[in-house]
Amino acid sequence: MSETEPEKKSWFARLRSRETPAVETPEPAPVEAVTESAAEQDAEVEKKSGWLSRLRDGLSKSTKRVTESITGLFTKKKLDQETLNELEDALIQADLGISVAARLVEKLGKERFGKEVTDEEVRAAFADDIAEILQPVAVPLVIDPARKPHVILVIGVNGSGKTTTIAKLANLHKGEGRKVMLAAGDTFRAAAVEQLKVWGDRAGVPVVSKDTGADAAGLAYEALERAKAEKCDVLLIDTAGRLHNKTNLMEELAKIVRVIRKLDPEAPHSCLLVLDATTGQNAHAQVETFRTMSPVDALVLTKLDGSAKGGVLVALAEKFKLPVVAIGIGEGIDDLRPFEARAFARGLMGLPA
Ligand SMILES: Nc1nc2c(ncn2[C@@H]2O[C@H](COP(=O)(O)OP(=O)(O)O)[C@@H](O)[C@H]2O)c(=O)[nH]1
Ligand SMILES: [Mg+2]
């Protein structure tokens, strides 16, 4: 695993810096720029503060966007209608959605109208309400040990982070002692199969693959056959995010499901839709579209480390009520976290966990 080391350093370096490059142009702060001692310090800080602070650091762009606009509204005056309106706008701007924004502001108005409030009190009140919205969707992905394997189909648009998330999940479950197999079902893009193989090697799990252009459903069938024969605990199936058109993609996903059900009528046991948090409101449309193509059991939100639009997670939770089983906070194999409602809500509002 020595090759993940430089990756980690550059990830820390990027995360520590407020001037993180846009996610669309990743890679990376030069590793050489991180002196050994700085990297060691980072590792030390990391160990002490744990993943909660990493989440907060990762969310910093989203947090900054929300908190700055809220803070800017307060000059120690009594809460009036104008401020409430402006707060509502700030929440909408931060991608929390019209309905969540209205709900939070209405509640705040009821409780504090005409009273003196500080921006910190407002953020704390919002954080509590957001945590309440998020709590029901903060559900972990449970692997059913009776399934051999528990089949996880991973879908989402191109570039949303499917393949990376599969690698992270593979690493996680392998680390928990499960036998994992991957199916390189994105046979549409030339580099996609190779990418999954590299990740598979890194995580130390076998990857079932075929050449570009091969039938994805056939591949998924073979992978499930093999995973059953080898008594794997988890089979993760990667898929294409874009084909020639939407109908093709819909047909391909439906065919994968149909074909694997010949081997296991209840497969896939989990269908995860991966959404890129940097796309903000567009994520809503993606949920709607993919739901028409395949049953979606849960969401994974990626790139929360580089997104100023992390608030969209709240809007999605409120609207679709789909479990958020994990969040991606970096490009490294360890950068997947269970989703925790309160930590996320407080992080978003710039408050300590
Ligand atoms: N910063 C960051 N980048 C991510 C995250 N997840 C994926 N990526 C990057 O997003 C890009 C697309 O990811 P990929 O897994 O290939 O997407 P796919 O097309 O859906 O399979 C890659 O450059 C990944 O490294 C994340 O949580 N944070
Ligand atoms: Mg991919």
Side-chain angles (χ1 to χ4, degrees):
M1 290 288 113
S2 60
E3 59 188 314
T4 62
E5 214 36 49
E7 220 169 67
K8 225 174 224 167
K9 281 179 196 164
S10 72
W11 186 77
F12 287 146
R14 260 189 310 126
L15 209 55
R16 301 276 167 220
S17 152
R18 295 277 145 166
E19 308 301 322
T20 40
V23 185
E24 294 72 30
T25 53
E27 277 333 308
V31 173
E32 316 78 81
V34 184
T35 66
E36 202 46 47
S37 66
E40 273 166 18
Q41 276 172 10
D42 272 345
E44 204 40 46
V45 171
E46 162 70 7
K47 230 185 269 164
K48 275 191 200 135
S49 53
W51 76 267
L52 278 178
S53 93
R54 268 175 74 178
L55 170 67
R56 258 201 314 283
D57 284 353
L59 269 178
S60 64
K61 276 193 186 175
S62 299
T63 304
K64 207 169 161 225
R65 185 145 160 223
V66 186
T67 56
E68 271 180 4
S69 48
I70 293 178
T71 306
L73 294 174
F74 287 89
T75 45
K76 209 174 176 249
K77 57 179 180 180
K78 294 192 168 72
L79 188 64
D80 57 13
Q81 193 54 49
E82 194 194 338
T83 309
L84 283 174
N85 293 346
E86 283 167 351
L87 280 170
E88 191 168 349
D89 284 348
L91 294 171
I92 293 169
Q93 289 300 317
D95 286 282
L96 278 93
I98 292 170
S99 141
V100 171
R103 183 165 151 185
L104 298 193
V105 166
E106 193 193 328
K107 186 151 176 256
L108 183 74
K110 269 191 193 140
E111 287 166 5
R112 311 278 176 99
F113 195 83
K115 295 181 184 153
E116 269 183 19
V117 284
T118 65
D119 75 285
E120 204 168 334
E121 284 165 347
V122 169
R123 286 190 283 127
F126 284 169
D128 285 348
D129 296 343
I130 290 171
E132 214 169 276
I133 296 171
L134 296 179
Q135 202 59 58
V137 306
V139 180
L141 175 64
V142 179
I143 302 296
D144 183 350
R147 315 267 186 207
K148 292 275 185 257
H150 183 116
V151 179
I152 304 175
L153 184 67
V154 180
I155 63 176
V157 301
N158 236 357
S160 59
K162 291 180 296 299
T163 305
T164 312
T165 299
I166 286 174
K168 291 170 176 175
L169 285 171
N171 187 52
L172 180 88
H173 290 296
K174 183 159 189 254
E176 289 178 358
R178 296 189 183 89
K179 196 169 173 189
V180 181
M181 190 176 282
L182 308 181
D186 183 358
T187 52
F188 188 69
R189 279 192 313 144
V193 173
E194 246 354 272
Q195 188 193 0
L196 195 69
K197 279 192 195 159
V198 170
W199 279 119
D201 281 350
R202 220 172 273 185
V205 303
V207 179
V208 181
S209 65
K210 284 187 176 182
D211 290 339
T212 310
D215 176 39
L219 173 93
Y221 184 90
E222 275 177 36
L224 180 52
E225 217 171 24
R226 198 176 135 190
K228 273 167 115 49
E230 296 183 20
K231 298 199 168 35
C232 288
D233 298 298
V234 182
L235 172 67
L236 287 149
I237 304 177
D238 201 359
T239 60
R242 186 177 58 211
L243 295 179
H244 298 293
N245 57 50
K246 194 179 139 189
T247 315
N248 277 354
L249 181 57
M250 193 186 293
E251 278 169 6
E252 174 150 310
L253 292 176
K255 192 171 165 197
I256 291 174
V257 170
R258 209 166 53 236
V259 161
I260 58 177
R261 280 185 180 162
K262 288 183 184 165
L263 291 171
D264 182 342
E266 284 166 47
H269 309 104
S270 311
C271 177
L272 305 186
L273 174 60
V274 177
L275 299 169
D276 173 348
T278 62
T279 60
Q281 293 308 303
N282 194 254
H284 289 267
Q286 289 175 25
V287 177
E288 310 257 11
T289 305
F290 275 91
R291 271 185 141 183
T292 66
M293 298 189 191
S294 166
V296 173
D297 299 307
L299 306 177
V300 174
L301 267 282
T302 64
K303 309 190 196 180
L304 280 162
D305 51 306
S307 175
K309 300 177 178 177
V312 72
L313 201 157
V314 186
L316 291 170
E318 200 247 4
K319 184 162 174 196
F320 297 106
K321 301 184 168 54
L322 284 165
V324 178
V325 291
I327 55 174
I329 54 164
E331 293 178 273
I333 202 154
D334 294 321
D335 297 330
L336 190 77
R337 295 290 175 272
F339 175 60
E340 292 190 18
R342 188 179 143 83
F344 187 90
R346 291 187 63 84
L348 194 63
M349 287 293 147
L351 300 164

